[in-house]
Amino acid sequence: MKKKISAVSRLYDLLQFGEFGGVNPSITDSSTYTFLNPDEMEETFHGHAQGCFLYSRHWNPSNKYLADAVATMENTESAWITASGMAAISCAILQICSTGDHLITSITTYGGTYAFLKNYLKKFNIEVSFVNITDLKSVEEAVRPNTKLIYTESVTNPLLQVSDIPALAEIAARHHIKLMVDNTFTPLIITPTNLGADFTVYSLTKFVNGKNDCVAGAICGRRQFIDDLADVHCGTAMLLGPVLDPLRSSGILKNMHTLHLRMQQHSKNAMYLAEKLGELNMRVIYPGLENHPQHKLMKQIMNEEFGFGGMMAIVLDSASDANRLMQKMQQEQVGYLAVSLGYFKTLFSCSGKSTSSEIPREIQQQMGLSEGLLRFSVGLDHDIGQTFGRIKKCLEETKLV
Ligand SMILES: *Cc1c(COP(=O)(O)O)cnc(C)c1O
């Protein structure tokens, strides 16, 4: 395992300023770029001209600045910016796996990822094994001669299981396969590369941008892999073309400058609510609580100063209980009844009926996702005590405590 280097210090030391000296890099306003001579254009096409931009779907300065910042945060050699988290996940997987290959994934993943792996990859005849990622034995047993990849989320959606990245990396290395980690829930908190992961993918839509004003993603890994992704002949990212608009990437880059402060506040607030709801005898799932099955593991792999993250869940008896509570909480201004996460306001949704609804009910049961699981993305509330007071009132009025 590599030594932990503070991701924040790395980011803070990254100097990026505009061509006219602006403290923020200029925003690319061009889809295409001029060349002073034709030879240079040809070389750029063949990927040999460093620092030259050809066409914005390939690379553009704004996306390069953001890619450099994300790679710096993740301690990877390189990164590529995509127009969504799903684009990052699908392109990265399709770059690695071809027809006839096999991959192993955590059964609990974001619903869109589950649908892509379960339904869409059939088109390419890529086989997928769904395993309980916390059961390392079942992960290893799923390895086949044609396995190319183990896929997981650092902290899984929505059950908040913590992936043992060092152990998974060890299994992957032993079988000469790769490990890809979706780090959307835990930017700065977990640095998968430092724990042995080969690739990190992101929905930047969530905590990293933190404003819920756009959708974006990133793929982080070795320079050769990122160059291959953007290769003009057979790079998945270049050819499927999910490029992010430069205006959006410049916005996300600026929002990254406050990510460390936001993650600390999200974590602090989530820990407070998790403890207080636990005291009310609610069934609370939060990696920061000692009763969480992977609490110890989380403490071993996290960058402690950022806490246990902003995601928390409570388990109610039924979806109708969850619905009544959510409506009440929205009325009482606890936050918004909405999917997504990483916003300044608390967002809550009933996972089985929303972000995991792509997963059939019987599989949801098999993976332990109950109908009444209510997922919270805890906000940046200044007075979290007041927020808890409001939640408690809602629980009392809906007769759930
Ligand atoms: C939202 C999300 C995605 C998908 O990202 P989009 O930006 O919506 O495409 C993938 N993984 C996780 C864990 C997510 O929460």
Side-chain angles (χ1 to χ4, degrees), residues 1-13 71-76 188-195 301-306:
M1 208 189 297
K2 285 186 210 164
K3 191 175 167 290
K4 282 184 190 170
I5 308 162
S6 162
V8 176
S9 323
R10 279 196 305 270
L11 264 186
Y12 208 78
D13 287 345
T72 299
M73 174 168 78
E74 289 309 319
N75 209 17
T76 56
L188 295 177
I189 296 173
I190 291 177
T191 309
T193 310
N194 289 358
L195 302 168
I301 65 174
M302 72 196 280
N303 303 320
E304 221 161 282
E305 61 195 300
F306 300 105

PDB file of all heavy atoms in Angstrom, residues 1-13 71-76 188-195 301-306:
ATOM      1  N   MET A   1       0.844  -1.201   0.000  1.00  0.00           N
ATOM      2  CA  MET A   1       0.000   0.000   0.000  1.00  0.00           C
ATOM      3  C   MET A   1       0.881   1.254   0.000  1.00  0.00           C
ATOM      4  O   MET A   1       1.801   1.365   0.785  1.00  0.00           O
ATOM      5  CB  MET A   1      -0.877  -0.014   1.249  1.00  0.00           C
ATOM      6  CG  MET A   1      -2.184   0.726   1.079  1.00  0.00           C
ATOM      7  SD  MET A   1      -3.040   0.904   2.652  1.00  0.00           S
ATOM      8  CE  MET A   1      -3.352  -0.815   3.055  1.00  0.00           C
ATOM      9  N   LYS A   2       0.555   2.196  -0.895  1.00  0.00           N
ATOM     10  CA  LYS A   2       1.346   3.426  -0.945  1.00  0.00           C
ATOM     11  C   LYS A   2       1.043   4.295   0.274  1.00  0.00           C
ATOM     12  O   LYS A   2      -0.013   4.215   0.856  1.00  0.00           O
ATOM     13  CB  LYS A   2       0.985   4.226  -2.198  1.00  0.00           C
ATOM     14  CG  LYS A   2       1.559   3.652  -3.470  1.00  0.00           C
ATOM     15  CD  LYS A   2       1.267   4.604  -4.630  1.00  0.00           C
ATOM     16  CE  LYS A   2       1.121   3.841  -5.927  1.00  0.00           C
ATOM     17  NZ  LYS A   2       0.481   4.662  -6.962  1.00  0.00           N
ATOM     18  N   LYS A   3       1.994   5.143   0.597  1.00  0.00           N
ATOM     19  CA  LYS A   3       1.813   6.045   1.726  1.00  0.00           C
ATOM     20  C   LYS A   3       0.702   7.035   1.396  1.00  0.00           C
ATOM     21  O   LYS A   3       0.576   7.497   0.270  1.00  0.00           O
ATOM     22  CB  LYS A   3       3.133   6.783   1.954  1.00  0.00           C
ATOM     23  CG  LYS A   3       3.190   7.561   3.232  1.00  0.00           C
ATOM     24  CD  LYS A   3       4.608   8.140   3.395  1.00  0.00           C
ATOM     25  CE  LYS A   3       4.648   9.202   4.493  1.00  0.00           C
ATOM     26  NZ  LYS A   3       3.947  10.436   4.135  1.00  0.00           N
ATOM     27  N   LYS A   4      -0.098   7.357   2.420  1.00  0.00           N
ATOM     28  CA  LYS A   4      -1.173   8.328   2.203  1.00  0.00           C
ATOM     29  C   LYS A   4      -0.598   9.736   2.069  1.00  0.00           C
ATOM     30  O   LYS A   4       0.117  10.199   2.941  1.00  0.00           O
ATOM     31  CB  LYS A   4      -2.146   8.291   3.374  1.00  0.00           C
ATOM     32  CG  LYS A   4      -3.110   7.133   3.331  1.00  0.00           C
ATOM     33  CD  LYS A   4      -4.095   7.223   4.473  1.00  0.00           C
ATOM     34  CE  LYS A   4      -4.903   5.951   4.573  1.00  0.00           C
ATOM     35  NZ  LYS A   4      -5.686   5.893   5.793  1.00  0.00           N
ATOM     36  N   ILE A   5      -0.908  10.400   0.960  1.00  0.00           N
ATOM     37  CA  ILE A   5      -0.509  11.802   0.799  1.00  0.00           C
ATOM     38  C   ILE A   5      -1.808  12.577   0.766  1.00  0.00           C
ATOM     39  O   ILE A   5      -2.759  12.140   0.139  1.00  0.00           O
ATOM     40  CB  ILE A   5       0.242  12.019  -0.527  1.00  0.00           C
ATOM     41  CG1 ILE A   5       1.387  11.011  -0.669  1.00  0.00           C
ATOM     42  CG2 ILE A   5       0.750  13.443  -0.637  1.00  0.00           C
ATOM     43  CD1 ILE A   5       1.886  10.853  -2.088  1.00  0.00           C
ATOM     44  N   SER A   6      -1.839  13.704   1.434  1.00  0.00           N
ATOM     45  CA  SER A   6      -3.099  14.433   1.492  1.00  0.00           C
ATOM     46  C   SER A   6      -3.535  14.885   0.105  1.00  0.00           C
ATOM     47  O   SER A   6      -2.838  15.613  -0.596  1.00  0.00           O
ATOM     48  CB  SER A   6      -2.946  15.640   2.413  1.00  0.00           C
ATOM     49  OG  SER A   6      -3.979  16.533   2.147  1.00  0.00           O
ATOM     50  N   ALA A   7      -4.733  14.433  -0.285  1.00  0.00           N
ATOM     51  CA  ALA A   7      -5.290  14.793  -1.575  1.00  0.00           C
ATOM     52  C   ALA A   7      -5.505  16.300  -1.643  1.00  0.00           C
ATOM     53  O   ALA A   7      -5.342  16.927  -2.688  1.00  0.00           O
ATOM     54  CB  ALA A   7      -6.593  14.048  -1.805  1.00  0.00           C
ATOM     55  N   VAL A   8      -5.846  16.897  -0.494  1.00  0.00           N
ATOM     56  CA  VAL A   8      -6.109  18.332  -0.479  1.00  0.00           C
ATOM     57  C   VAL A   8      -4.827  19.116  -0.723  1.00  0.00           C
ATOM     58  O   VAL A   8      -4.817  20.071  -1.501  1.00  0.00           O
ATOM     59  CB  VAL A   8      -6.740  18.761   0.864  1.00  0.00           C
ATOM     60  CG1 VAL A   8      -6.913  20.262   0.909  1.00  0.00           C
ATOM     61  CG2 VAL A   8      -8.071  18.081   1.042  1.00  0.00           C
ATOM     62  N   SER A   9      -3.731  18.686  -0.104  1.00  0.00           N
ATOM     63  CA  SER A   9      -2.472  19.410  -0.332  1.00  0.00           C
ATOM     64  C   SER A   9      -2.077  19.318  -1.798  1.00  0.00           C
ATOM     65  O   SER A   9      -1.621  20.286  -2.395  1.00  0.00           O
ATOM     66  CB  SER A   9      -1.321  18.836   0.498  1.00  0.00           C
ATOM     67  OG  SER A   9      -1.768  18.439   1.731  1.00  0.00           O
ATOM     68  N   ARG A  10      -2.274  18.130  -2.357  1.00  0.00           N
ATOM     69  CA  ARG A  10      -1.936  17.982  -3.778  1.00  0.00           C
ATOM     70  C   ARG A  10      -2.765  18.940  -4.626  1.00  0.00           C
ATOM     71  O   ARG A  10      -2.248  19.631  -5.495  1.00  0.00           O
ATOM     72  CB  ARG A  10      -2.217  16.543  -4.241  1.00  0.00           C
ATOM     73  CG  ARG A  10      -1.148  15.540  -3.911  1.00  0.00           C
ATOM     74  CD  ARG A  10      -1.320  14.269  -4.728  1.00  0.00           C
ATOM     75  NE  ARG A  10      -2.625  13.670  -4.593  1.00  0.00           N
ATOM     76  CZ  ARG A  10      -2.943  12.759  -3.674  1.00  0.00           C
ATOM     77  NH1 ARG A  10      -2.046  12.339  -2.828  1.00  0.00           N
ATOM     78  NH2 ARG A  10      -4.164  12.261  -3.628  1.00  0.00           N
ATOM     79  N   LEU A  11      -4.064  18.995  -4.355  1.00  0.00           N
ATOM     80  CA  LEU A  11      -4.954  19.864  -5.129  1.00  0.00           C
ATOM     81  C   LEU A  11      -4.595  21.331  -4.938  1.00  0.00           C
ATOM     82  O   LEU A  11      -4.596  22.116  -5.879  1.00  0.00           O
ATOM     83  CB  LEU A  11      -6.399  19.671  -4.664  1.00  0.00           C
ATOM     84  CG  LEU A  11      -7.285  18.710  -5.426  1.00  0.00           C
ATOM     85  CD1 LEU A  11      -8.697  18.784  -4.876  1.00  0.00           C
ATOM     86  CD2 LEU A  11      -7.289  19.023  -6.911  1.00  0.00           C
ATOM     87  N   TYR A  12      -4.287  21.677  -3.679  1.00  0.00           N
ATOM     88  CA  TYR A  12      -4.008  23.060  -3.334  1.00  0.00           C
ATOM     89  C   TYR A  12      -2.751  23.556  -4.042  1.00  0.00           C
ATOM     90  O   TYR A  12      -2.647  24.715  -4.427  1.00  0.00           O
ATOM     91  CB  TYR A  12      -3.830  23.166  -1.815  1.00  0.00           C
ATOM     92  CG  TYR A  12      -4.204  24.515  -1.279  1.00  0.00           C
ATOM     93  CD1 TYR A  12      -5.541  24.855  -1.100  1.00  0.00           C
ATOM     94  CD2 TYR A  12      -3.228  25.459  -0.966  1.00  0.00           C
ATOM     95  CE1 TYR A  12      -5.896  26.101  -0.625  1.00  0.00           C
ATOM     96  CE2 TYR A  12      -3.581  26.707  -0.492  1.00  0.00           C
ATOM     97  CZ  TYR A  12      -4.916  27.016  -0.320  1.00  0.00           C
ATOM     98  OH  TYR A  12      -5.268  28.249   0.144  1.00  0.00           O
ATOM     99  N   ASP A  13      -1.817  22.639  -4.228  1.00  0.00           N
ATOM    100  CA  ASP A  13      -0.539  23.013  -4.843  1.00  0.00           C
ATOM    101  C   ASP A  13      -0.584  22.998  -6.361  1.00  0.00           C
ATOM    102  O   ASP A  13       0.394  23.364  -7.019  1.00  0.00           O
ATOM    103  CB  ASP A  13       0.566  22.058  -4.362  1.00  0.00           C
ATOM    104  CG  ASP A  13       0.937  22.338  -2.920  1.00  0.00           C
ATOM    105  OD1 ASP A  13       0.560  23.416  -2.418  1.00  0.00           O
ATOM    106  OD2 ASP A  13       1.594  21.483  -2.291  1.00  0.00           O
ATOM    107  N   ALA A  71      -7.358  14.043 -11.492  1.00  0.00           N
ATOM    108  CA  ALA A  71      -6.241  13.084 -11.414  1.00  0.00           C
ATOM    109  C   ALA A  71      -5.347  13.406 -10.218  1.00  0.00           C
ATOM    110  O   ALA A  71      -4.867  12.504  -9.518  1.00  0.00           O
ATOM    111  CB  ALA A  71      -5.429  13.098 -12.709  1.00  0.00           C
ATOM    112  N   THR A  72      -5.145  14.685  -9.964  1.00  0.00           N
ATOM    113  CA  THR A  72      -4.326  15.098  -8.817  1.00  0.00           C
ATOM    114  C   THR A  72      -4.982  14.652  -7.516  1.00  0.00           C
ATOM    115  O   THR A  72      -4.331  14.093  -6.633  1.00  0.00           O
ATOM    116  CB  THR A  72      -4.148  16.635  -8.823  1.00  0.00           C
ATOM    117  OG1 THR A  72      -3.489  16.990 -10.029  1.00  0.00           O
ATOM    118  CG2 THR A  72      -3.323  17.102  -7.646  1.00  0.00           C
ATOM    119  N   MET A  73      -6.293  14.870  -7.433  1.00  0.00           N
ATOM    120  CA  MET A  73      -7.013  14.456  -6.223  1.00  0.00           C
ATOM    121  C   MET A  73      -6.899  12.944  -6.030  1.00  0.00           C
ATOM    122  O   MET A  73      -6.706  12.460  -4.914  1.00  0.00           O
ATOM    123  CB  MET A  73      -8.482  14.868  -6.338  1.00  0.00           C
ATOM    124  CG  MET A  73      -9.365  14.362  -5.214  1.00  0.00           C
ATOM    125  SD  MET A  73     -10.980  15.139  -5.178  1.00  0.00           S
ATOM    126  CE  MET A  73     -11.837  14.286  -6.499  1.00  0.00           C
ATOM    127  N   GLU A  74      -7.022  12.198  -7.126  1.00  0.00           N
ATOM    128  CA  GLU A  74      -7.042  10.730  -7.036  1.00  0.00           C
ATOM    129  C   GLU A  74      -5.659  10.106  -7.050  1.00  0.00           C
ATOM    130  O   GLU A  74      -5.521   8.887  -6.963  1.00  0.00           O
ATOM    131  CB  GLU A  74      -7.889  10.153  -8.172  1.00  0.00           C
ATOM    132  CG  GLU A  74      -9.366  10.415  -8.011  1.00  0.00           C
ATOM    133  CD  GLU A  74      -9.894  10.017  -6.631  1.00  0.00           C
ATOM    134  OE1 GLU A  74      -9.487   8.966  -6.112  1.00  0.00           O
ATOM    135  OE2 GLU A  74     -10.698  10.785  -6.076  1.00  0.00           O
ATOM    136  N   ASN A  75      -4.637  10.947  -7.218  1.00  0.00           N
ATOM    137  CA  ASN A  75      -3.261  10.448  -7.266  1.00  0.00           C
ATOM    138  C   ASN A  75      -3.057   9.455  -8.420  1.00  0.00           C
ATOM    139  O   ASN A  75      -2.310   8.489  -8.290  1.00  0.00           O
ATOM    140  CB  ASN A  75      -2.896   9.796  -5.931  1.00  0.00           C
ATOM    141  CG  ASN A  75      -1.409   9.892  -5.646  1.00  0.00           C
ATOM    142  OD1 ASN A  75      -0.700  10.687  -6.263  1.00  0.00           O
ATOM    143  ND2 ASN A  75      -0.926   9.073  -4.721  1.00  0.00           N
ATOM    144  N   THR A  76      -3.757   9.691  -9.538  1.00  0.00           N
ATOM    145  CA  THR A  76      -3.539   8.857 -10.722  1.00  0.00           C
ATOM    146  C   THR A  76      -2.732   9.656 -11.746  1.00  0.00           C
ATOM    147  O   THR A  76      -2.670  10.885 -11.674  1.00  0.00           O
ATOM    148  CB  THR A  76      -4.871   8.420 -11.377  1.00  0.00           C
ATOM    149  OG1 THR A  76      -5.647   9.577 -11.705  1.00  0.00           O
ATOM    150  CG2 THR A  76      -5.662   7.519 -10.458  1.00  0.00           C
ATOM    151  N   LEU A 188     -12.133  12.500  -1.634  1.00  0.00           N
ATOM    152  CA  LEU A 188     -11.198  12.917  -0.578  1.00  0.00           C
ATOM    153  C   LEU A 188     -11.191  11.942   0.611  1.00  0.00           C
ATOM    154  O   LEU A 188     -10.158  11.722   1.222  1.00  0.00           O
ATOM    155  CB  LEU A 188     -11.478  14.336  -0.055  1.00  0.00           C
ATOM    156  CG  LEU A 188     -11.274  15.481  -1.056  1.00  0.00           C
ATOM    157  CD1 LEU A 188     -11.668  16.827  -0.428  1.00  0.00           C
ATOM    158  CD2 LEU A 188      -9.839  15.551  -1.564  1.00  0.00           C
ATOM    159  N   ILE A 189     -12.342  11.354   0.932  1.00  0.00           N
ATOM    160  CA  ILE A 189     -12.407  10.450   2.088  1.00  0.00           C
ATOM    161  C   ILE A 189     -11.645   9.164   1.770  1.00  0.00           C
ATOM    162  O   ILE A 189     -10.901   8.645   2.600  1.00  0.00           O
ATOM    163  CB  ILE A 189     -13.879  10.119   2.431  1.00  0.00           C
ATOM    164  CG1 ILE A 189     -14.608  11.394   2.872  1.00  0.00           C
ATOM    165  CG2 ILE A 189     -13.963   9.040   3.506  1.00  0.00           C
ATOM    166  CD1 ILE A 189     -16.101  11.223   3.063  1.00  0.00           C
ATOM    167  N   ILE A 190     -11.856   8.648   0.557  1.00  0.00           N
ATOM    168  CA  ILE A 190     -11.140   7.437   0.140  1.00  0.00           C
ATOM    169  C   ILE A 190     -10.392   7.748  -1.146  1.00  0.00           C
ATOM    170  O   ILE A 190     -10.917   8.425  -2.043  1.00  0.00           O
ATOM    171  CB  ILE A 190     -12.131   6.260  -0.045  1.00  0.00           C
ATOM    172  CG1 ILE A 190     -12.699   5.836   1.326  1.00  0.00           C
ATOM    173  CG2 ILE A 190     -11.446   5.064  -0.723  1.00  0.00           C
ATOM    174  CD1 ILE A 190     -13.745   4.731   1.273  1.00  0.00           C
ATOM    175  N   THR A 191      -9.147   7.301  -1.225  1.00  0.00           N
ATOM    176  CA  THR A 191      -8.353   7.471  -2.439  1.00  0.00           C
ATOM    177  C   THR A 191      -8.042   6.065  -2.959  1.00  0.00           C
ATOM    178  O   THR A 191      -7.042   5.450  -2.563  1.00  0.00           O
ATOM    179  CB  THR A 191      -7.046   8.243  -2.139  1.00  0.00           C
ATOM    180  OG1 THR A 191      -7.382   9.434  -1.414  1.00  0.00           O
ATOM    181  CG2 THR A 191      -6.312   8.637  -3.426  1.00  0.00           C
ATOM    182  N   PRO A 192      -8.908   5.515  -3.829  1.00  0.00           N
ATOM    183  CA  PRO A 192      -8.774   4.107  -4.230  1.00  0.00           C
ATOM    184  C   PRO A 192      -7.397   3.745  -4.796  1.00  0.00           C
ATOM    185  O   PRO A 192      -6.882   2.661  -4.513  1.00  0.00           O
ATOM    186  CB  PRO A 192      -9.873   3.939  -5.289  1.00  0.00           C
ATOM    187  CG  PRO A 192     -10.912   4.935  -4.905  1.00  0.00           C
ATOM    188  CD  PRO A 192     -10.135   6.119  -4.397  1.00  0.00           C
ATOM    189  N   THR A 193      -6.776   4.652  -5.552  1.00  0.00           N
ATOM    190  CA  THR A 193      -5.456   4.357  -6.134  1.00  0.00           C
ATOM    191  C   THR A 193      -4.424   4.045  -5.058  1.00  0.00           C
ATOM    192  O   THR A 193      -3.609   3.141  -5.218  1.00  0.00           O
ATOM    193  CB  THR A 193      -4.939   5.567  -6.943  1.00  0.00           C
ATOM    194  OG1 THR A 193      -5.973   5.957  -7.823  1.00  0.00           O
ATOM    195  CG2 THR A 193      -3.695   5.236  -7.716  1.00  0.00           C
ATOM    196  N   ASN A 194      -4.468   4.805  -3.967  1.00  0.00           N
ATOM    197  CA  ASN A 194      -3.503   4.583  -2.889  1.00  0.00           C
ATOM    198  C   ASN A 194      -3.713   3.237  -2.212  1.00  0.00           C
ATOM    199  O   ASN A 194      -2.843   2.733  -1.511  1.00  0.00           O
ATOM    200  CB  ASN A 194      -3.613   5.690  -1.837  1.00  0.00           C
ATOM    201  CG  ASN A 194      -3.079   7.010  -2.345  1.00  0.00           C
ATOM    202  OD1 ASN A 194      -2.599   7.090  -3.477  1.00  0.00           O
ATOM    203  ND2 ASN A 194      -3.168   8.039  -1.532  1.00  0.00           N
ATOM    204  N   LEU A 195      -4.903   2.660  -2.426  1.00  0.00           N
ATOM    205  CA  LEU A 195      -5.226   1.376  -1.792  1.00  0.00           C
ATOM    206  C   LEU A 195      -5.075   0.220  -2.776  1.00  0.00           C
ATOM    207  O   LEU A 195      -5.400  -0.915  -2.456  1.00  0.00           O
ATOM    208  CB  LEU A 195      -6.652   1.424  -1.248  1.00  0.00           C
ATOM    209  CG  LEU A 195      -6.937   2.539  -0.225  1.00  0.00           C
ATOM    210  CD1 LEU A 195      -8.427   2.675   0.033  1.00  0.00           C
ATOM    211  CD2 LEU A 195      -6.192   2.275   1.079  1.00  0.00           C
ATOM    212  N   ILE A 301      -9.204   2.482   5.992  1.00  0.00           N
ATOM    213  CA  ILE A 301      -8.914   2.924   4.616  1.00  0.00           C
ATOM    214  C   ILE A 301      -9.221   4.397   4.362  1.00  0.00           C
ATOM    215  O   ILE A 301      -8.839   4.935   3.339  1.00  0.00           O
ATOM    216  CB  ILE A 301      -9.649   2.050   3.556  1.00  0.00           C
ATOM    217  CG1 ILE A 301     -11.163   2.207   3.647  1.00  0.00           C
ATOM    218  CG2 ILE A 301      -9.234   0.588   3.668  1.00  0.00           C
ATOM    219  CD1 ILE A 301     -11.910   1.471   2.521  1.00  0.00           C
ATOM    220  N   MET A 302      -9.901   5.044   5.299  1.00  0.00           N
ATOM    221  CA  MET A 302     -10.302   6.434   5.032  1.00  0.00           C
ATOM    222  C   MET A 302      -9.196   7.437   5.351  1.00  0.00           C
ATOM    223  O   MET A 302      -8.292   7.165   6.131  1.00  0.00           O
ATOM    224  CB  MET A 302     -11.544   6.776   5.866  1.00  0.00           C
ATOM    225  CG  MET A 302     -11.237   6.921   7.344  1.00  0.00           C
ATOM    226  SD  MET A 302     -12.712   6.860   8.382  1.00  0.00           S
ATOM    227  CE  MET A 302     -13.315   8.514   8.208  1.00  0.00           C
ATOM    228  N   ASN A 303      -9.293   8.583   4.710  1.00  0.00           N
ATOM    229  CA  ASN A 303      -8.461   9.728   5.079  1.00  0.00           C
ATOM    230  C   ASN A 303      -9.243  10.447   6.177  1.00  0.00           C
ATOM    231  O   ASN A 303     -10.199  11.162   5.902  1.00  0.00           O
ATOM    232  CB  ASN A 303      -8.237  10.644   3.877  1.00  0.00           C
ATOM    233  CG  ASN A 303      -7.595   9.888   2.708  1.00  0.00           C
ATOM    234  OD1 ASN A 303      -6.713   9.070   2.900  1.00  0.00           O
ATOM    235  ND2 ASN A 303      -8.064  10.152   1.504  1.00  0.00           N
ATOM    236  N   GLU A 304      -8.808  10.216   7.415  1.00  0.00           N
ATOM    237  CA  GLU A 304      -9.654  10.484   8.575  1.00  0.00           C
ATOM    238  C   GLU A 304     -10.228  11.893   8.678  1.00  0.00           C
ATOM    239  O   GLU A 304     -11.355  12.080   9.118  1.00  0.00           O
ATOM    240  CB  GLU A 304      -8.863  10.172   9.841  1.00  0.00           C
ATOM    241  CG  GLU A 304      -9.692   9.471  10.881  1.00  0.00           C
ATOM    242  CD  GLU A 304      -8.795   8.778  11.894  1.00  0.00           C
ATOM    243  OE1 GLU A 304      -8.249   7.695  11.594  1.00  0.00           O
ATOM    244  OE2 GLU A 304      -8.636   9.357  12.975  1.00  0.00           O
ATOM    245  N   GLU A 305      -9.442  12.873   8.214  1.00  0.00           N
ATOM    246  CA  GLU A 305      -9.878  14.263   8.443  1.00  0.00           C
ATOM    247  C   GLU A 305     -11.195  14.622   7.745  1.00  0.00           C
ATOM    248  O   GLU A 305     -11.788  15.659   8.041  1.00  0.00           O
ATOM    249  CB  GLU A 305      -8.765  15.229   8.001  1.00  0.00           C
ATOM    250  CG  GLU A 305      -8.438  15.100   6.539  1.00  0.00           C
ATOM    251  CD  GLU A 305      -7.120  15.767   6.142  1.00  0.00           C
ATOM    252  OE1 GLU A 305      -7.001  16.983   6.335  1.00  0.00           O
ATOM    253  OE2 GLU A 305      -6.242  15.061   5.611  1.00  0.00           O
ATOM    254  N   PHE A 306     -11.658  13.753   6.817  1.00  0.00           N
ATOM    255  CA  PHE A 306     -12.894  14.093   6.102  1.00  0.00           C
ATOM    256  C   PHE A 306     -14.127  13.352   6.612  1.00  0.00           C
ATOM    257  O   PHE A 306     -15.211  13.496   6.065  1.00  0.00           O
ATOM    258  CB  PHE A 306     -12.718  13.874   4.600  1.00  0.00           C
ATOM    259  CG  PHE A 306     -11.620  14.723   4.065  1.00  0.00           C
ATOM    260  CD1 PHE A 306     -10.396  14.180   3.739  1.00  0.00           C
ATOM    261  CD2 PHE A 306     -11.796  16.090   3.961  1.00  0.00           C
ATOM    262  CE1 PHE A 306      -9.357  14.979   3.306  1.00  0.00           C
ATOM    263  CE2 PHE A 306     -10.769  16.902   3.531  1.00  0.00           C
ATOM    264  CZ  PHE A 306      -9.546  16.345   3.209  1.00  0.00           C
TER     265      PHE A 306
END
